[in-house]
Amino acid sequence: MKYFDPQIETASRETLCGIQSERLASIVKRCYDHVPFYRRKFDEAGLLPGDVKSIDDITKLPFTVKQDLRDNYPFGLFAVPREDIVRIHASSGTTGKQTVVGYTENDVEIWSRSAARAIVAAGGTKADRIHIAYGYGLFTGGLGLHYGAEKLGAAAIPVSSGNTMRQIQLLEDFEPDILCCTPSYALTIGEAMRGAGVDAKKLRLRAGIFGAEPWTEAMRAEIESVLDIKAYDIYGLSEIAGPGVSFDCCMQNGMHVCEDYFYPEIVDPDTLEPVPDGTFGELVFTCIGKEALPLIRYRTRDISCLTHETCECGRTLVKMMKPKGRSDDMLIIRGVNVFPSQVEHVILTLGLEPNYQIVVDRAKNLDVMTVCVEMSDAVFSDAVREVERREKEIASAMQSVLGVSAKVRLVEPRSLPRSEGKAVRVVDNRKI
Ligand code: DLL
């Protein structure tokens, strides 16, 4: 099986635009009729639902931001009556109230199909067993991949995250074909396997579907080598559905967006004007296929770019590049923009361990960034002078890539906290 939904995944641009135009007009009307928040925004903009006829009219519509969900907490933006909701999820975020999302039966169907498309694009089939080590619960990771696996007809193994030694035992005993978890947890599992003397080559596992946090190409290479699998990226966010909004294909060079359900745009985060293909900016989604929470032009804060170039896998769905990070994760160090993914890139290209943490302090009104990187056992046994030499070498590579200096501290093997879900890469102690 090459595609889960071949007629959509390989549709012509004309067909896709037709579907998108029809669905956009319908959700705009639904929002205007059923969500007081949207009716007010449309009235303020002097817009009537009839003004939106084609997908090109999308730029006439106002944006939605996370704060709008918080202001209408918990269910104020739902566009269907209470009895039509069959599922509720929420995303914790780091500050403020939870972001609450709801689904009708049809919304769960859309989401499951998106996740099933992702699994098939990663080479998954009906005959596979899929080990799901994303957290189950209000977080969308576990249940999203679970419903995707079942929609495909594969066997979902709902392990959830945590208890790493048990994960390893199940990888050995249940012989799953595909592992789903965050990329940082994949590395934690790989490292624990190595520690326990389990040979990854002996496992049946052949692929992994990893997402929910930014990760670099270097980290992909590391995971592929430690677990002896192919590692595929999957992107999504609760506000739009959950995992499966976009996914890697066999080319592993950008994620196809399920644009028949989730229409993507990239805008300049300052001017909010759309930018051309290939230009990085803020990713914006409109949920054109959804009923319960059809968000319009939702600003994700994720920094990415789109490409409509043909893909050798045969899918015509637009591709988005791996998000570089979030505009709100971006650190500003002495005026220079730094993404944790750039730091990760430097660390891994120098052949260091993929376990690191960035600590930012402010000393005498000056930002000080310290990158703590774990040493391998081999480096740890080196003389102090050698360790200092390596720290200098890394600091100089950081300076040339980031354009700002960073202190580098090589720390003891296994001394930094390990992740079971989304990794905490940055500790910002500045009181700003
Ligand atoms: O993380 C949904 C998900 C679960 C996606 C499992 C993939 C796999 P939230 O908790 O709402 O939902 O967090 C969404 O996580 O806006 C991005 O900043 C980040 N993110 C998700 N996937 C990726 C990825 C889930 N593949 C937020 N690469 C998003 C980079 C990602 N960042």
Side-chain angles (χ1 to χ4, degrees):
M1 189 183 212
K2 219 171 154 198
Y3 315 107
F4 181 72
D5 272 329
Q7 64 293 24
I8 293 291
E9 294 180 66
T10 61
S12 67
R13 187 54 31 203
E14 206 189 339
T15 306
L16 281 171
C17 281
I19 296 173
Q20 290 166 340
S21 297
E22 198 180 299
R23 291 188 178 164
L24 179 67
S26 139
I27 65 128
V28 164
K29 182 158 181 347
R30 173 188 290 276
C31 287
Y32 190 78
D33 291 344
H34 300 292
V35 187
F37 163 83
Y38 277 122
R39 178 177 285 242
R40 207 169 47 246
K41 286 199 73 158
F42 286 14
D43 287 346
E44 276 164 21
L47 260 178
L48 283 171
D51 296 337
V52 178
K53 296 190 182 70
S54 102
I55 194 68
D56 296 333
D57 293 327
I58 199 161
T59 52
K60 294 181 184 165
L61 294 165
F63 290 93
T64 312
V65 294
K66 203 179 193 89
Q67 190 59 40
D68 296 328
L69 283 155
R70 294 205 173 121
D71 291 346
N72 291 281
Y73 175 86
F75 308 130
L77 294 188
F78 286 11
V80 295
R82 180 187 187 106
E83 61 267 29
D84 290 350
I85 300 283
V86 302
R87 181 92 69 78
I88 289 172
H89 279 279
S91 133
S92 53
T94 42
T95 50
K97 281 186 189 152
Q98 299 233 332
T99 310
V100 183
V101 297
Y103 305 75
T104 62
E105 201 181 329
N106 196 39
D107 295 339
V108 172
E109 170 71 14
I110 282 177
W111 179 22
S112 311
R113 296 198 85 82
S114 308
R117 287 179 193 175
I119 297 171
V120 171
T125 71
K126 236 175 108 45
D128 287 333
R129 288 189 201 130
I130 305 189
H131 177 123
I132 302 166
Y134 286 112
Y136 277 65
L138 288 175
F139 175 55
T140 53
L143 282 164
L145 269 306
H146 185 106
Y147 271 60
E150 287 193 352
K151 179 60 58 187
L152 172 62
I157 312 178
V159 189
S160 199
S161 61
N163 199 342
T164 308
M165 292 321 288
R166 191 171 66 119
Q167 304 274 356
I168 296 172
Q169 189 180 354
L170 297 184
L171 287 170
E172 289 186 288
D173 297 349
F174 289 6
E175 301 185 331
D177 305 273
I178 297 179
L179 168 67
C180 304
C181 60
T182 58
S184 53
Y185 195 43
L187 277 178
T188 304
I189 294 176
E191 183 184 55
M193 256 166 51
R194 210 184 261 166
V198 174
D199 182 358
K201 289 196 166 46
K202 296 224 170 90
L203 297 181
R204 186 182 165 96
L205 212 57
R206 63 163 200 276
I209 304 180
F210 306 124
E213 62 185 4
W215 52 309
T216 56
E217 284 304 327
M219 183 132 158
R220 190 199 305 261
E222 180 79 22
I223 295 174
E224 292 193 334
S225 129
V226 179
L227 290 177
D228 192 37
I229 57 172
K230 280 259 175 223
Y232 297 89
D233 201 352
I234 184 167
Y235 169 88
L237 61 167
S238 351
E239 295 92 313
I240 303 305
V245 169
S246 68
F247 52 82
D248 259 348
C249 62
C250 55
M251 304 308 294
Q252 296 178 298
N253 63 358
M255 293 181 272
H256 291 282
V257 181
C258 291
E259 55 173 314
D260 53 328
Y261 302 141
F262 319 113
Y263 184 79
E265 297 172 85
I266 301 279
V267 300
D268 178 315
D270 297 323
T271 64
L272 298 184
E273 288 300 321
V275 300
D277 263 21
T279 307
F280 276 90
E282 183 176 335
L283 189 54
V284 170
F285 280 106
T286 300
C287 306
I288 51 177
K290 276 174 59 189
E291 296 169 338
L293 189 63
L295 292 181
I296 293 177
R297 302 193 88 194
Y298 182 71
R299 294 183 56 185
T300 63
R301 306 277 169 196
D302 291 320
I303 308 293
S304 179
C305 72
L306 296 178
T307 165
H308 285 85
E309 275 170 26
T310 42
C311 182
E312 281 177 47
C313 78
R315 284 178 188 76
T316 48
L317 298 174
V318 63
K319 287 206 294 204
M320 58 176 265
M321 291 304 117
K322 250 179 181 319
K324 275 210 251 189
R326 295 172 57 85
S327 55
D328 46 6
D329 269 0
M330 187 180 76
L331 291 162
I332 305 184
I333 309 289
R334 298 194 293 279
V336 178
N337 298 347
V338 173
F339 285 102
S341 61
Q342 293 173 296
V343 171
E344 180 175 306
H345 176 79
V346 173
I347 290 170
L348 293 183
T349 40
L350 287 176
L352 295 149
E353 295 296 295
N355 301 309
Y356 66 95
Q357 197 160 52
I358 303 166
V359 183
V360 191
D361 292 289
R362 180 158 281 189
K364 294 195 190 123
N365 288 322
L366 207 64
D367 300 327
V368 182
M369 177 166 84
T370 309
V371 182
C372 302
V373 191
E374 270 182 21
M375 288 179 264
S376 61
D377 287 316
V379 175
F380 186 50
S381 60
D382 282 345
V384 175
R385 198 174 297 155
E386 173 55 18
V387 170
E388 283 173 359
R389 190 197 63 74
R390 294 230 45 177
E391 285 177 340
K392 281 206 185 109
E393 177 192 46
I394 304 161
S396 136
M398 290 282 174
Q399 164 88 51
S400 70
V401 172
L402 308 179
V404 64
S405 63
K407 285 187 187 167
V408 173
R409 262 185 55 217
L410 285 170
V411 298
E412 276 184 37
R414 292 168 288 281
S415 61
L416 292 175
R418 290 295 182 268
S419 131
E420 294 180 349
K422 301 192 190 221
V424 179
R425 298 295 194 194
V426 179
V427 179
D428 196 340
N429 296 320
R430 293 176 294 184
K431 304 273 178 287
I432 310 176

